[in-house]
């Protein structure tokens, strides 16, 4: 089980888009430059995100993409599932014939329930994190990085 670049890039691109929400449509070329993600890859991802009604496209000059719903109504799970990222830690994909199990009985492997429970916890967690949560974290991080530490002057010590 691992999250591939497809899911990672989709979440990263959506944070970039959401950070710029309210300033007009965001171009994929802009996201591509800022996040170092291939433009053709973003086009594929955003096609899927649009079909799942997470983003909407605005055509023509000055066009681009915007969120189709508020950032607090989009979860990380929504994004990952929209781009067809499997969230499955089992070897069998949830089917009855696990690796190492007796195929004739339809039995599952000894660790199937462990991985199946992990899947549920993973989806629950990703479903509890909204795009707005990630935007807020990013803004906080940027604010902390922009705070300058002023050196103490001798006048302040006296």
């Amino acid at each position: 089980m691992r999250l591939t670049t497809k899911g990672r890039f989709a979440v990263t691109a959506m944070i970039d888009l959401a950070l710029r929400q309210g300033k007009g449509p965001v171009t994929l070329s802009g996201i591509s430059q800022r996040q170092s993600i291939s433009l053709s890859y973003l086009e594929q991802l955003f096609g899927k995100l649009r079909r799942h009604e997470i983003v909407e496209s605005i055509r023509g000059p000055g066009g681009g993409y915007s969120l189709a719903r508020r950032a607090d109504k989009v979860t990380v799970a929504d994004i990952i599932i929209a781009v067809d990222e499997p969230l499955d830690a089992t070897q069998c994909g949830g089917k009855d014939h696990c690796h190492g199990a007796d195929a004739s009985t339809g039995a599952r492997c000894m660790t199937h329930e462990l991985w199946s429970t992990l899947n549920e916890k993973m989806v629950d967690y990703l479903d509890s994190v909204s795009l707005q949560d990630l935007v807020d974290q990013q803004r906080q991080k940027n604010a902390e990085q922009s705070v300058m530490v002023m050196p103490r002057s001798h006048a302040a010590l006296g």
Side-chain angles (χ1 to χ4, degrees), residues 4 14 47 51 56 63 75 83 85 93 112 116 120 125 131 133:
T4 66
M14 288 297 295
R51 284 189 289 279
E56 53 191 14
T75 69
V83 297
E85 186 69 24
H112 183 87
S116 197
E120 292 171 23
Y125 172 69
L131 182 56
D133 294 334

Side-chain angles (χ1 to χ4, degrees), residues 11-124:
V11 171
T12 299
M14 288 297 295
I15 295 169
D16 187 293
L17 175 71
L19 281 166
R20 288 157 182 78
Q21 194 68 26
K23 299 176 186 172
V26 178
T27 64
L28 292 185
S29 62
I31 295 172
S32 173
Q33 290 173 349
R34 286 186 296 274
Q35 304 304 326
S36 300
I37 302 171
S38 155
L39 180 58
S40 61
Y41 201 66
L42 283 173
E43 288 169 347
Q44 292 173 29
L45 294 176
F46 272 71
K48 293 177 180 190
L49 292 165
R50 188 176 45 77
R51 284 189 289 279
H52 280 83
E53 300 178 346
I54 295 174
V55 299
E56 53 191 14
S57 62
I58 295 88
R59 297 182 179 266
Y65 284 87
S66 63
L67 295 176
R69 53 187 192 242
R70 294 182 359 205
D72 63 340
K73 301 296 183 192
V74 177
T75 69
V76 174
D78 293 335
I79 297 166
I80 292 172
I81 291 167
V83 297
D84 299 326
E85 186 69 24
L87 293 174
D88 188 7
T90 64
Q91 289 183 338
C92 66
K95 297 177 179 64
D96 285 335
H97 47 73
C98 295
H99 176 72
D102 182 357
S104 65
T105 66
R108 293 183 168 168
C109 66
M110 292 186 289
T111 57
H112 183 87
E113 295 308 315
L114 169 70
W115 305 127
S116 197
T117 302
L118 176 59
N119 288 345
E120 292 171 23
K121 300 289 185 192
M122 194 167 46
V123 171
D124 286 347

